[in-house]
Amino acid sequence: MAVRLFEGKEHANSYWKYRISPSEELIGKVLQFHRNNKNSSNGLAVDVGCGSGQGTLLLAPHFTRVVGTDISPAQLEMGRKHVNIPNVSFRESPAEELPFEDGSVDLVTAMSAFHWFDHSRFLQEADRVLKPHGCLALLNYTLDMELTYGDCSEALNLICNEFYAALHPLRDPHLGPSSFELYKRTYDSLQYPVKEWHDLFWVKKAVPLSGYIGMVKSFSTFQTLLKKDPEEARRLSQDIEERLKRAMDVTSSETEVTMGVKYFYFLAQKPADD
């Protein structure tokens, strides 16, 4: 069954504020794959597990209608609050029970969400709603983001790696040992003849140091620690933040760093009925 997380209002707000979304360039790779098929169309795109809609809105200029779906009312409320685009709407729905007719969707995306679904049921549902020649795009990123700042980047990333190592034991069992391996296995077993696997695409973004800390604190592992031991969660994040500032020789957490995120993804085209 699918896993329900990221549903509290405070967590949804943190998710909107700090989570990074795919770059325009990465979305362009998805769209190029979709357009490479001369039979493709741009009527309806569905972003499954959309959270608060950061990735959903990137599809809006390219489709007549875009619908973001999620099981969390709090996340959808955040999306409706911040995404004011006429052709974008949000619907509460499990990934395994999409509220769309058979063969009605041109593009199905899941951006950093597929690993939380019931994998086989979602893939069956995506196949059901996709038109012949429709595109399935599953994107995710590794959790070992890298920071760049002046000549101390190596020192920063050693500290970041300690942060990730402290949180790793709290990884949800549903995820298994590696999301990367899950996506690759899914790609290898998917019975769509036209498909592409991409194991590394960098998305780099300038953020305040507090934004990097906020993003890690929005991860499910940190949220698990926060529920289990709030004092330890606060101590850990504050310690990491102070050590990063010392390594940078700055006093403000609003000092800007470059955060690099390593995406991996696959694209697949549903074959024609004939």
Side-chain angles (χ1 to χ4, degrees), residues 170-185:
L170 300 163
R171 182 179 172 86
D172 192 289
H174 176 84
L175 297 177
S178 168
S179 293
F180 181 95
E181 293 175 7
L182 165 66
Y183 281 66
K184 187 61 167 66
R185 285 198 311 271

Side-chain angles (χ1 to χ4, degrees), residues 7 57 211 227:
E7 295 196 57
L57 64 85
K227 291 177 182 177

Side-chain angles (χ1 to χ4, degrees), residues 28-262:
K29 299 288 186 184
V30 174
L31 296 170
Q32 186 59 52
F33 178 86
H34 179 61
R35 292 168 182 155
N36 281 344
N37 180 356
K38 62 180 181 3
N39 295 304
S40 66
S41 56
N42 299 317
L44 173 60
V46 175
D47 183 26
V48 184
C50 67
S52 45
Q54 294 99 318
T56 315
L57 64 85
L58 298 175
L59 301 172
H62 309 286
F63 291 85
T64 304
R65 188 162 65 101
V66 178
V67 181
T69 70
D70 204 280
I71 56 173
S72 166
Q75 291 280 7
L76 295 173
E77 180 183 345
M78 198 63 57
R80 293 184 181 107
K81 177 180 177 181
H82 291 285
V83 182
N84 299 307
I85 302 173
N87 66 327
V88 175
S89 61
F90 296 95
R91 297 184 68 172
E92 185 177 343
S93 165
E96 303 80 11
E97 300 174 21
L98 297 173
F100 304 98
E101 295 180 0
D102 296 2
S104 62
V105 179
D106 297 292
L107 171 68
V108 171
T109 61
M111 307 186 202
S112 307
F114 168 70
H115 43 282
W116 295 115
F117 303 162
D118 181 313
H119 309 133
S120 60
R121 288 183 60 208
F122 164 72
L123 292 171
Q124 291 171 1
E125 190 69 345
D127 183 77
R128 180 187 68 79
V129 302
L130 277 171
K131 294 177 181 177
H133 306 291
C135 176
L136 173 66
L138 302 186
L139 296 72
N140 198 20
Y141 50 80
T142 63
L143 300 186
D144 54 342
M145 293 90 66
E146 296 185 5
L147 299 183
T148 303
Y149 181 83
D151 60 358
C152 64
S153 302
E154 184 176 352
L156 296 183
N157 289 310
L158 288 174
I159 298 169
C160 292
N161 287 337
E162 290 185 38
F163 202 1
Y164 309 142
L167 295 174
H168 185 76
L170 300 163
R171 182 179 172 86
D172 192 289
H174 176 84
L175 297 177
S178 168
S179 293
F180 181 95
E181 293 175 7
L182 165 66
Y183 281 66
K184 187 61 167 66
R185 285 198 311 271
T186 302
Y187 168 81
D188 289 339
S189 63
L190 188 65
Q191 298 300 304
Y192 284 8
V194 179
K195 57 184 181 178
E196 294 180 1
W197 168 261
H198 300 268
D199 60 15
L200 180 59
F201 187 96
W202 280 100
V203 172
K204 297 188 177 183
K205 182 180 180 182
V207 299
L209 180 62
S210 61
Y212 162 75
I213 295 293
M215 180 167 175
V216 178
K217 288 169 68 175
S218 77
F219 289 164
S220 63
T221 48
F222 187 88
Q223 292 294 311
T224 298
L225 178 60
L226 190 61
K227 291 177 182 177
K228 181 180 179 181
D229 189 341
E231 201 58 42
E232 173 59 18
R234 283 189 284 271
R235 185 208 62 78
L236 175 64
S237 62
Q238 289 171 3
D239 176 65
I240 293 293
E241 189 167 351
E242 290 303 314
R243 290 173 61 195
L244 289 171
K245 285 193 292 185
R246 287 198 297 271
M248 294 163 64
D249 195 24
V250 301
T251 58
S252 173
S253 296
E254 298 313 297
T255 304
E256 197 170 84
V257 296
T258 299
M259 181 171 67
V261 180
K262 294 178 278 189

